Amino acid sequence: MALPSNPDKTAESKRAERLAAEQDVFIREVDEAVRADQLDSAAKRYGIPAAIILVLGLAGFGGYLFWKENREGTLETQSEELIGALDAMGRGDNAGAEKQLATLASDADNGVRIAAKMTQAGLAAGAGRSDDAVKIYDAIKADDSAPQAYRDLATIRAIAINFDSMEPKAVIDQLRPLAVADNAWFGSAGELVGAAYLKMGDRKQAGKMFGDIAKDENVPQTLRSRARQMAGLLGVDAVEDVDKAMERLRSEGRVAEAPNMAAEADAPPAAGAEGQ
């Protein structure tokens, strides 16, 4: 059996390996301790602000959910109150309706508030309180937070109430932007503009306006019928295409279907008809 050539060197190598291993373990332990210390320092330094931010974020989100649910509940309640006011009007209880509307017109959410004001103005106009109605309509018209459709309607209704006392040109200047095809209020605004032209003595412009209203299929039929009559009186042909007009009248049940003359000619005579 062969002996190691240098026993001292072998022992020295083993000690060196053991020392290196111990140093490696020590370095790893120191590294882990440093990391732990760094995490602990970071937690102490940033943990409280991060926790505050997290808590504030959760509180804000919870507050938003609460606000949203509360807002939806408020809108639902206000809508029910508005319907209640309309029901009161239907029963003839205008005093009760006006009381409910007054509360909604001052405290309700924007959409319900404007609807309540429009209804208030309508009640005032129906009761003969034209000045009160116009005052409410003018307030709606000047309210930048009100939907544009409401503001336009308030403009039309205020002018309709004051039409007799207004200069025709003022009526035309205010309503001409609305009295155009494709505008939702074309028929109502156009009818007032046509009447203003008549008041000025401009039969040509009045006839054209009434004729345009009569031919617009988007305008309510009752308004189109009035406009057609006015256009005819002013010498403007506002009758739509005859075939389309007959088809529309038949669909409305106002004209019976035309008999099929060819079919009747080919049909056999009725019993007893040959002897007549």
Side-chain angles (χ1 to χ4, degrees):
M1 177 177 173
L3 295 174
S5 58
N6 191 348
D8 294 335
K9 186 175 181 180
T10 300
E12 183 178 348
S13 297
K14 289 181 178 179
R15 285 197 300 273
E17 290 175 359
R18 186 170 61 255
L19 180 60
E22 291 174 352
Q23 289 177 342
D24 184 57
V25 171
F26 175 74
I27 290 173
R28 284 202 304 272
E29 289 177 350
V30 170
D31 185 52
E32 290 177 359
V34 170
R35 289 180 184 176
D37 184 63
Q38 288 176 339
L39 289 174
D40 183 60
S41 297
K44 291 179 179 178
R45 184 175 180 181
Y46 301 111
I48 293 176
I52 292 174
I53 292 173
L54 178 61
V55 170
L56 289 176
L58 291 174
F61 182 66
Y64 166 75
L65 292 178
F66 174 78
W67 171 82
K68 182 180 179 183
E69 182 177 354
N70 184 63
R71 175 180 169 82
E72 290 176 352
T74 300
L75 285 174
E76 183 177 352
T77 300
Q78 292 174 354
S79 298
E80 290 175 354
E81 291 174 356
L82 180 59
I83 293 172
L86 296 175
D87 288 342
M89 289 171 58
R91 297 191 305 268
D93 182 13
N94 289 348
E98 287 187 351
K99 185 177 180 180
Q100 290 178 282
L101 291 171
T103 301
L104 293 172
S106 60
D107 299 332
D109 187 78
N110 192 48
V112 176
R113 178 175 61 85
I114 299 301
K117 283 189 173 184
M118 291 291 294
T119 309
Q120 273 185 318
L123 272 175
R129 294 183 280 113
S130 299
D131 291 343
D132 292 341
V134 170
K135 184 178 180 181
I136 297 172
Y137 285 137
D138 286 343
I140 296 171
K141 182 174 64 174
D143 188 347
D144 292 337
S145 67
Q148 190 61 46
Y150 277 123
R151 297 174 67 186
D152 291 343
L153 180 57
T155 300
I156 293 170
R157 290 187 173 176
I159 290 176
I161 292 173
N162 281 336
F163 182 84
D164 291 338
S165 61
M166 291 180 67
E167 290 294 327
K169 188 177 184 306
V171 174
I172 295 169
D173 289 344
Q174 292 186 49
L175 293 183
R176 202 68 181 86
L178 304 178
V180 292
D182 297 330
N183 186 282
W185 305 116
F186 172 46
S188 301
E191 190 173 36
L192 288 169
V193 168
Y197 277 128
L198 265 183
K199 197 174 179 180
M200 291 175 63
D202 191 341
R203 295 172 62 86
K204 181 179 179 181
Q205 288 293 339
K208 182 179 183 306
M209 178 58 69
F210 287 123
D212 289 344
I213 295 172
K215 294 176 182 178
D216 192 327
E217 295 183 355
N218 294 319
V219 173
Q221 188 57 44
T222 53
L223 206 162
R224 291 178 68 192
S225 297
R226 289 201 306 270
R228 189 176 300 113
Q229 291 173 1
M230 290 299 300
L233 291 173
L234 295 169
V236 175
D237 182 10
V239 178
E240 58 195 312
D241 179 81
V242 176
D243 291 336
K244 288 180 63 178
M246 293 301 296
E247 181 180 350
R248 176 177 57 77
L249 291 173
R250 281 195 293 269
S251 68
E252 295 173 358
R254 297 166 63 183
V255 175
E257 291 287 341
N260 189 331
M261 302 305 292
E264 289 185 0
D266 293 338
E274 292 181 354
Q276 295 182 1

